[in-house]
Amino acid sequence: MTAVRVKICGITRLEDALAAAAAGADAIGLVFYAKSPRAVDIEQARAILAALPPFVTSVGLFVDAERSELERILASVPLDLLQFHGDESVQQCEAFGRPYIKALRVKAGDDIAAQVARYPSAQGILLDAYVEGVPGGTGEAFDWSLIPQALSKPLILAGGLRPDNVAEAVSRVRPYAVDVSGGVEASKGVKDVEKVGAFIRAARGN
């Protein structure tokens, strides 16, 4: 089985990005959503990406952003991948001509396969917990048994993952990748280097 990929999201500091890369992260996530305690501005993002080593994917997270705002960010920040975490349509996701992943918030009764099928151009689908009024980053897990056995897109599992439960998540769900933010933090927006390393080792069964 191919080793699961790991994304460390909610990076706000250069030292945390470098520590994540050194620990073996495949991707880092930068949050461009002003209401998030992990939000970054253009200057922060540029500084982080300028120092990021090669072969670490940079992902920009957006929540129902205005097109003009997103274009302004893309003009200044060389993101590799866009992550849409709001109610964006497939047309909105495709509008920027960039590879993207679409986040879906899971709750009982959802037809996840049908939701995934609405985004045929997505590089992958991220599944997170549904929490009323919050687009993501809640640290809440969801019932993994709700995930269909065979999705049409690579699955990125998020929501309540931590160093002590990610191995079980990988074993049960067999995702393409796992995504963590709060589960490896010392405080909101500040990563705990030891937790980051422990998470990546556990995800890969090391």
Side-chain angles (χ1 to χ4, degrees), residues 10 33 40 42 61 76 78 86 88 90 110 138 170 191-192 199 202:
Y33 178 57
V40 295
I42 285 176
L61 187 154
S76 299
E88 300 89 356
V90 64
D110 286 351
T138 63
V170 170
K191 301 308 181 199
D192 181 313
F199 184 91

Side-chain angles (χ1 to χ4, degrees), residues 139-165:
E140 298 287 331
F142 65 93
D143 182 356
W144 301 327
S145 69
L146 297 173
I147 302 172
Q149 285 298 308
L151 288 176
S152 58
K153 291 289 178 181
L155 166 63
I156 303 148
L157 182 64
L161 297 178
R162 306 178 305 273
D164 64 351
N165 70 0

Side-chain angles (χ1 to χ4, degrees), residues 20-95:
D26 299 284
I28 64 154
L30 302 173
V31 177
F32 295 94
Y33 178 57
K35 294 180 181 179
S36 170
R38 304 176 181 94
V40 295
D41 59 27
I42 285 176
E43 289 69 28
Q44 284 174 286
R46 284 174 60 88
I48 290 168
L49 296 193
L52 205 62
F55 310 126
V56 178
T57 300
S58 59
V59 184
L61 187 154
F62 300 89
V63 182
D64 297 320
E66 293 289 339
R67 179 166 181 164
S68 59
E69 173 69 5
L70 210 154
E71 287 176 340
R72 182 177 73 86
I73 292 167
L74 291 180
S76 299
V77 183
L79 295 166
D80 297 317
L81 187 67
L82 307 183
Q83 177 176 328
F84 293 104
H85 227 288
D87 296 319
E88 300 89 356
S89 67
V90 64
Q91 292 81 10
Q92 288 171 309
C93 294
E94 292 173 345

Side-chain angles (χ1 to χ4, degrees), residues 108-181:
D110 286 351
D111 186 340
I112 296 171
Q115 292 185 35
V116 171
R118 291 169 47 204
Y119 298 91
S121 53
Q123 299 280 307
I125 294 293
L126 183 146
L127 297 182
D128 199 355
Y130 179 90
V131 177
E132 182 69 35
V134 184
T138 63
E140 298 287 331
F142 65 93
D143 182 356
W144 301 327
S145 69
L146 297 173
I147 302 172
Q149 285 298 308
L151 288 176
S152 58
K153 291 289 178 181
L155 166 63
I156 303 148
L157 182 64
L161 297 178
R162 306 178 305 273
D164 64 351
N165 70 0
V166 67
E168 180 190 0
V170 170
S171 175
R172 286 179 53 188
V173 179
R174 303 289 184 186
Y176 172 82
V178 289
D179 188 316
V180 66
S181 185

